[in-house]
Amino acid sequence: MERQKRVAAIHDISCFGKCSLTVALPMLSCAGIETCCIPTAVLSTHTGGFSGYTYHDLTADILPIADHWKSQQIQFDAVYTGFLGSREQTDIIGRVLDRIAREDTLVMVDPVMGDDGRLYPVFDESFPAAMRGLCARAHVIVPNMTEAYLLLDEPYQAGPYSEAEIDRLLTGLSRICPGHVVLTGVHFDEASLGAATMEGGTGRREVVLRRKVDGFYHGTGDVYASTLLAALMHDFSLSEAAGLAADYTVLSIETTKAMDKELRYGVNFEYNLPKLMQMLKKEQAQ
Ligand code: PXL
């Protein structure tokens, strides 16, 4: 039997609303990957669409957890970061990587900062620069369009985009992250939506597009990024993984839409998990 891969997922726990760790843990486990976690904060709900949520910052716990793991020689195939509770946490995650990432550990940073042209209100203006520093240590970054413009310190532009603009963004992001770039929310018209990928090293670029499903569903970025990492851990190429993640995200949105649930409650990513297991079997995907 093949060795089981192990990932450390570093995100918040939003106790209600399906995003960050409550998406990453079940999805990666379903993909057969041992998924350990460092919670960055505990919130009663995510911040998108609920008022009065509780927020408990866990900054002080992050390094002691990593120190303990290091003392126990626990090794990771990947470290996957998402929503970080504060600017300070971006520096701390760098120190976590010094402790738990081997040379061959894949570091994937989802630079969760905003959506729809806006920085999430929990972050101040200095946050994107700090996130840029963390992206410099990543082998893969997965920004959405809002996060791409924030990382590049440019004003947000809404789509549809030209191919030249997507190319320009990829080039800019590749100066921030030496590894692979997977830019989500790419669309050239209103009918389709997908991701543009740029491989670190070769600079090879591809665009994967899928039919657009209307409506803004919360947590789709986490479903996309978790599927992307699952596929990379199963040795799919970057563009194959980007395509598989798009397929699974569309499937989750379509399932949610059919159930007529509140958009802020998150997507029903659970229903199709048995299908995800099949999609990740490489021999069937080809
Ligand atoms: O899905 C990204 C995310 C993660 N964690 C928290 C959030 C959000 C997006 O709003 O509020 C707490």
Side-chain angles (χ1 to χ4, degrees):
M1 203 173 161
E2 236 181 87
R3 185 180 68 80
Q4 187 183 22
K5 294 198 173 154
R6 182 185 292 137
V7 167
I10 309 179
H11 310 238
D12 71 287
I13 298 183
S14 288
C15 300
F16 180 85
K18 292 198 277 189
C19 64
S20 39
L21 278 184
T22 61
V23 169
L25 289 177
M27 289 201 68
L28 290 164
S29 296
C30 172
I33 297 158
E34 179 185 346
T35 314
C36 316
C37 63
I38 304 184
T40 57
V42 182
L43 296 84
S44 50
T45 65
H46 60 69
T47 63
F50 298 95
S51 58
Y53 50 83
T54 67
Y55 190 98
H56 179 68
D57 181 77
L58 291 173
T59 304
D61 293 85
I62 297 175
L63 270 184
I65 294 172
D67 279 335
H68 183 225
W69 284 354
K70 186 175 181 203
S71 76
Q72 302 303 304
Q73 286 105 37
I74 300 170
Q75 314 254 315
F76 294 93
D77 296 285
V79 176
Y80 166 29
T81 76
F83 181 98
L84 302 178
S86 62
R87 190 186 190 296
E88 194 191 348
Q89 285 190 5
T90 58
D91 299 331
I92 289 179
I93 300 307
R95 283 148 67 194
V96 169
L97 294 176
D98 295 338
R99 285 159 173 76
I100 65 168
R102 301 180 309 231
E103 282 227 326
D104 62 344
T105 299
L106 182 88
V107 177
M108 184 168 118
V109 173
D110 184 355
V112 175
M113 288 190 287
D115 219 334
D116 218 12
R118 281 185 294 271
L119 188 67
Y120 292 135
V122 283
F123 299 126
D124 67 29
E125 300 291 309
S126 68
F127 193 77
M131 187 57 93
R132 209 174 297 140
L134 181 58
C135 288
R137 303 237 2 217
H139 301 114
V140 188
I141 58 169
V142 198
N144 62 26
M145 296 303 299
T146 303
E147 290 152 355
Y149 285 109
L150 286 168
L151 286 172
L152 292 168
D153 197 21
E154 292 180 11
Y156 176 70
Q157 290 183 42
Y161 301 95
S162 64
E163 284 184 32
E165 176 63 357
I166 297 302
D167 253 3
R168 192 186 70 78
L169 291 173
L170 287 176
T171 302
L173 291 166
S174 72
R175 293 198 184 107
I176 291 170
C177 168
H180 304 319
V181 177
V182 179
L183 175 62
T184 64
V186 169
H187 57 289
F188 303 115
D189 54 40
E190 295 302 342
S192 48
L193 183 66
T197 60
M198 178 168 173
E199 279 181 11
T202 65
R204 184 188 159 101
R205 296 166 190 224
E206 282 182 63
V207 175
V208 291
L209 293 173
R210 297 293 182 268
R211 188 178 63 80
K212 185 177 174 194
V213 188
D214 282 336
F216 176 83
Y217 287 87
H218 198 274
T220 49
D222 297 298
V223 172
Y224 186 90
S226 300
T227 315
L228 180 81
L229 180 60
L232 291 174
M233 290 282 98
H234 280 264
D235 299 324
F236 283 75
S237 72
L238 186 68
S239 62
E240 283 171 341
L244 195 146
D247 287 336
Y248 196 74
T249 307
V250 169
L251 214 50
S252 303
I253 296 173
E254 279 172 342
T255 304
T256 314
K257 203 161 186 176
M259 297 176 60
D260 205 17
K261 260 187 22 172
E262 284 201 42
L263 307 192
R264 63 185 179 154
Y265 284 12
V267 282
N268 184 344
F269 69 88
E270 297 94 336
Y271 183 80
N272 294 295
L273 285 176
K275 210 175 262 180
L276 178 65
M277 291 185 201
Q278 295 305 315
M279 289 161 78
L280 287 168
K281 293 205 170 106
K282 214 160 184 254
E283 59 281 9
Q284 289 185 16
Q286 285 169 345

